[in-house]
Amino acid sequence: MKKIILIIFFLICTFNINYCFSEEKIIFSINNKSYTTIDLENKINYLLLVNKLEKNKENFNKIKLKAEEALIEDLLISELIKDKNIKILENDINATYNNMLGFLSQNNNEIFLRMINNYDLNLEYIKNEISKEISKEVIKKILIEEI
C-alpha cells in the first residue's frame, strides 16, 4: 500500500513539474518577434472580457482563432505605426479606458478591476490593448485616405 501511495505521489509531482515547465511555448514568430502561449492566453482573456463572455473552456476555444489573428494584426499595425511615426495620446487611451469602464462595469472602477483580475489580466495590459485598438483605427483612417 505504501508503494502505491509513493508511486501515485511521484506521478503527481512529475506531472505538476512537467506541466509547469511546458506551460509557456512559442506558438509563432514574425520579424524576430515571438509569441507564446501566454501571449495567446492573455489575448483570449482580453477578448472574452471586452465581448462580455464568461471565462470558460467553451468560450476560450471559440475565440482562440480570433485571438491568434488579432496577435498577428497587432504586430502588423505596430509596424505601420512605427513606420509612420504615429504617437497615441494618453488622453485618447484614458478616454477609451473610461468608455470601456462604462460599458463593462457601469463606471464602477472597483468592479472593473475585479473583472480584469477574474480574467487574469492587469490594468497595464488593458491600457496596452486599448492603445493597440486606437492604433488600428488610426491606421484604418490613414489607409482609407490613401485609397
Side-chain angles (χ1 to χ4, degrees):
M1 184 66 168
K2 282 185 177 182
K3 283 185 178 183
I4 292 174
I5 292 172
L6 284 173
I7 292 171
I8 291 172
F9 178 76
F10 175 77
L11 291 174
I12 290 172
C13 289
T14 303
F15 174 77
N16 284 335
I17 289 170
N18 286 339
Y19 179 75
C20 290
F21 286 117
S22 65
E23 200 166 312
E24 182 177 12
K25 295 179 184 174
I26 294 175
I27 51 176
F28 65 90
S29 295
I30 300 174
N31 293 340
N32 296 325
K33 171 80 171 123
S34 296
Y35 287 91
T36 67
T37 51
I38 292 173
D39 297 318
L40 179 60
E41 184 175 339
N42 287 338
K43 182 60 93 170
I44 290 169
N45 288 336
Y46 175 77
L47 292 173
L48 290 172
L49 173 70
V50 298
N51 288 293
K52 294 185 171 183
L53 296 172
E54 183 180 337
K55 186 179 175 186
N56 59 40
K57 192 169 189 152
E58 181 182 339
N59 287 336
F60 193 90
N61 290 332
K62 279 184 188 176
I63 210 156
K64 185 178 179 184
L65 180 59
K66 185 176 180 181
E68 290 170 345
E69 292 169 351
L71 285 174
I72 295 168
E73 182 181 42
D74 289 347
L75 178 65
L76 296 173
I77 295 294
S78 73
E79 292 297 319
L80 285 169
I81 290 291
K82 282 182 201 169
D83 288 347
K84 298 204 178 274
N85 199 26
I86 297 169
K87 303 289 182 218
I88 305 302
L89 299 175
E90 192 67 30
N91 288 343
D92 292 335
I93 294 171
N94 291 334
T96 305
Y97 172 82
N98 289 332
N99 290 338
M100 181 184 283
L101 184 68
F103 175 70
L104 294 173
S105 65
Q106 293 73 44
N107 291 316
N108 187 321
N109 199 48
E110 186 177 318
I111 290 172
F112 183 68
L113 292 175
R114 275 191 300 219
M115 289 174 73
I116 64 174
N117 188 50
N118 289 341
Y119 283 84
D120 298 319
L121 301 169
N122 60 48
L123 198 51
E124 181 182 345
Y125 184 84
I126 296 294
K127 290 202 173 191
N128 189 36
E129 288 300 303
I130 289 171
S131 178
K132 291 175 188 176
E133 294 296 327
I134 294 169
S135 297
K136 287 177 194 175
E137 293 305 312
V138 168
I139 292 296
K140 285 179 190 177
K141 286 180 183 178
I142 290 171
L143 292 175
I144 288 172
E145 289 174 4
E146 288 180 357
I147 292 178

